[in-house]
Amino acid sequence: MVMEEEEQTVKLAESCMVTPSDETPMHGLWLTPIDLTWATTGHIPFLHLYRSASASASGAGAIDDAFFNVARLKAALAKALVAFYPLAGRLGVDAHGRLQIDCAGQGALFVVARPDLTVDDFGSSQPSPELKRLLFPRVEDHSPSLMCGVQVNFLKCGGVALGMALHHIAVDATSAFHFFQTWSAISRDGDAAEATLERPCHDRTLLRPRFPPVVHPDALTVFCPPNHQTPSRDHSPHAVTNQIFVLSKDQVAALKRVCANGVSTFCAVSAHLWRCVCAARRLHPDATTRLIFPANVRASLSPKLPGSFFGNGIIMLGATGKVRDIASKGQLASVAGRIRGAISRMDDELVRSAIDYFEIAGGQTSNQAGSMPETELRVVSWRGMHDADFGRGKPLMVHRAVQPFAGIAYLMDGVGGSMRILLSVEAAIVNDLKRLLLHANF
């Protein structure tokens, strides 16, 4: 790939702050105990790739002014920031030193760039610091921290790579894609879109802790408390490679058939991946292994959170087992059942216990995955996140710019019903893992 062969330069055509187009609330936005666990994670790097009608592999496509028109994008962003006003804010602290979002309409960073790349350069692109450097706004250069930055990259073939960085303390993936859909709809349909769009719910007190906080003992058998982690020798960045594996539509269907009983695609694919990683790592049969995954709590509370709740509505759940019970041949359905069982146990009490756990910890927890034991695997679903249509169709793909730590996988929709698995693993196990993941019998 071009980006890996030689260092590319970035030609910046514009850089500015886009502020909300109308008045927005001016206050310090209280952050939930769940939000605070993501404070050290920083910005989530989302990449949306679009091919214009004139895009070609040769790079001969001309820039189409109607395709991602900059003035229209900025005007639509300004309107979207009225409803999603926390993304125009800055990270701050309240009178007691607790983190909050200072909402005063300061704006989102908006950058236009012209990298020397084509759409087809991204066909097998792996997450990397170089990908982030080329295609994403330098939000880290701003203090206090921005909540949102956007970089519109006009490729030499006529396509567009849209790099968006949203601070994780402000949003989870569900909220981020709600914002993307709103911005793209306003850009595509103008004022007519605003009447049909679901407005975000900013009442984060819906996830306030109880008084006094209490953690139910059974909650910790499923809920996985985060903790501060530091890079270890076995999982240093030098030992890690980022790989993209693609399961065909037929392979995904075959996994679900083996699992049967209405098991979800997430459970089936995660079970297969977990088994393959355990085998490729050659873990001891008596070792205990754990699969960790973020679960959306919005529908698990009583009463349920609004579907449009804007913030971090996720907690980490886990399924565990002995390696021999996870990796042995013929155990796929059983392993998928373990994952499904963990999800089924997420109810109001478990979620409230998780919130109270974070409150008791007093901000001394972090969801940032610095390093994990090789017995653990974290799987995150970004499926169903391809709806950001700015007027010329949905993106070819949604990608993550960088993922430096081993043991983390992202599940994303592929072409024609396939599934792309973006996986960060130890370089030494890649060949075995590919064989097991793509060619092994279930």
Side-chain angles (χ1 to χ4, degrees):
M1 182 186 173
V2 174
M3 283 183 289
E4 297 172 348
E5 293 172 357
E6 58 183 16
E7 186 172 292
Q8 302 292 309
T9 59
V10 183
K11 300 174 184 177
L12 297 184
E14 180 179 352
S15 181
C16 65
M17 289 291 171
V18 174
T19 57
S21 61
D22 204 345
E23 290 187 7
T24 57
M26 310 276 280
H27 65 101
L29 181 64
W30 180 80
L31 296 171
T32 74
I34 297 178
D35 292 329
L36 296 179
T37 67
W38 296 104
T40 59
T41 303
H43 295 80
I44 315 170
F46 299 93
L47 180 67
H48 288 61
L49 184 65
Y50 298 84
R51 186 193 295 274
S52 76
S54 61
S56 68
S58 66
I63 299 296
D64 181 359
D65 288 340
F67 182 66
F68 279 82
N69 177 273
V70 171
R72 188 175 68 242
L73 288 173
K74 291 168 65 175
L77 178 59
K79 290 183 178 181
L81 288 174
V82 175
F84 293 85
Y85 69 90
L87 295 182
R90 300 290 184 267
L91 188 61
V93 294
D94 64 16
H96 304 287
R98 192 177 190 274
L99 289 174
Q100 65 178 16
I101 299 177
D102 291 334
C103 299
Q106 299 96 318
L109 179 62
F110 186 92
V111 178
V112 178
R114 301 185 184 278
D116 189 25
L117 299 168
T118 70
V119 166
D120 291 337
D121 287 329
F122 295 85
S124 58
S125 63
Q126 313 297 339
S128 69
E130 179 72 355
L131 189 69
K132 182 179 179 183
R133 184 186 70 82
L134 285 172
L135 303 176
F136 285 79
R138 294 184 60 84
V139 290
E140 64 274 11
D141 291 346
H142 294 260
S143 181
S145 292
L146 307 179
M147 294 297 103
C148 176
V150 175
Q151 183 166 315
V152 184
N153 299 281
F154 288 101
L155 307 178
K156 62 183 182 180
C157 63
V160 169
L162 189 60
M164 291 173 279
L166 273 63
H167 204 300
H168 211 326
I169 202 170
V171 297
D172 58 13
T174 298
S175 292
F177 284 101
H178 184 192
F179 168 68
F180 298 159
Q181 289 171 338
T182 299
W183 178 28
S184 62
I186 296 173
S187 180
R188 182 184 67 240
D189 301 327
D191 293 340
E194 296 185 69
T196 62
L197 293 169
E198 185 175 24
R199 296 185 66 84
C201 169
H202 294 298
D203 185 5
R204 300 197 182 204
T205 64
L206 294 171
L207 293 181
R208 64 185 177 274
R210 295 174 288 198
F211 184 80
V214 59
V215 179
H216 194 284
D218 288 346
L220 295 178
T221 63
V222 179
F223 162 60
C224 295
N227 51 58
H228 284 298
Q229 298 169 315
T230 55
S232 66
R233 176 176 58 85
D234 291 338
H235 293 81
S236 67
H238 300 292
V240 176
T241 180
N242 297 296
Q243 298 288 320
I244 296 177
F245 302 100
V246 179
L247 294 177
S248 69
K249 180 180 179 180
D250 289 343
Q251 287 175 312
V252 173
L255 288 170
K256 295 184 69 174
R257 281 197 302 272
V258 172
C259 295
N261 297 323
V263 167
S264 69
T265 299
F266 173 81
C267 289
V269 174
S270 296
H272 179 52
L273 179 60
W274 187 14
R275 285 163 44 79
C276 292
V277 170
C278 285
R281 284 175 165 171
R282 293 178 168 82
L283 300 179
H284 192 282
D286 290 329
T288 298
T289 178
R290 182 168 68 165
L291 178 78
I292 305 170
F293 54 94
N296 190 335
V297 308
R298 289 168 174 80
S300 298
L301 291 167
S302 181
K304 297 179 180 180
L305 286 182
S308 60
F309 175 81
F310 190 74
N312 285 287
I314 53 174
I315 61 172
M316 291 292 178
L317 301 185
T320 62
K322 294 293 185 182
V323 170
R324 68 161 58 89
D325 297 326
I326 301 302
S328 297
K329 187 174 181 180
Q331 294 300 309
L332 178 63
S334 173
V335 176
R338 291 174 187 258
I339 302 171
R340 185 182 187 183
I343 296 172
S344 68
R345 290 182 59 188
M346 187 173 67
D347 57 13
D348 183 80
E349 177 55 45
L350 189 147
V351 175
R352 296 296 177 187
S353 288
I355 294 170
D356 289 352
Y357 179 95
F358 297 142
E359 181 69 9
I360 293 169
Q364 299 303 307
T365 58
S366 171
N367 274 305
Q368 184 175 11
S371 73
M372 295 183 293
E374 66 174 0
T375 52
E376 292 190 357
L377 174 68
R378 181 182 293 192
V379 179
V380 181
S381 176
W382 275 12
R383 298 183 63 241
M385 307 298 188
H386 285 65
D387 292 337
D389 179 0
F390 285 85
R392 294 296 181 89
K394 296 179 181 180
L396 293 176
M397 69 175 186
V398 176
H399 203 31
R400 186 180 172 92
V402 63
Q403 180 54 61
F405 302 114
I408 303 179
Y410 286 80
L411 308 184
M412 295 174 281
D413 294 319
V415 178
S418 65
M419 181 176 293
R420 297 167 58 244
I421 302 174
L422 168 56
L423 179 62
S424 300
V425 291
E426 303 85 348
I429 73 168
V430 168
N431 290 336
D432 284 345
L433 183 58
K434 181 177 181 180
R435 173 180 54 81
L436 292 166
L437 192 64
L438 303 181
H439 306 295
N441 293 324
F442 307 140

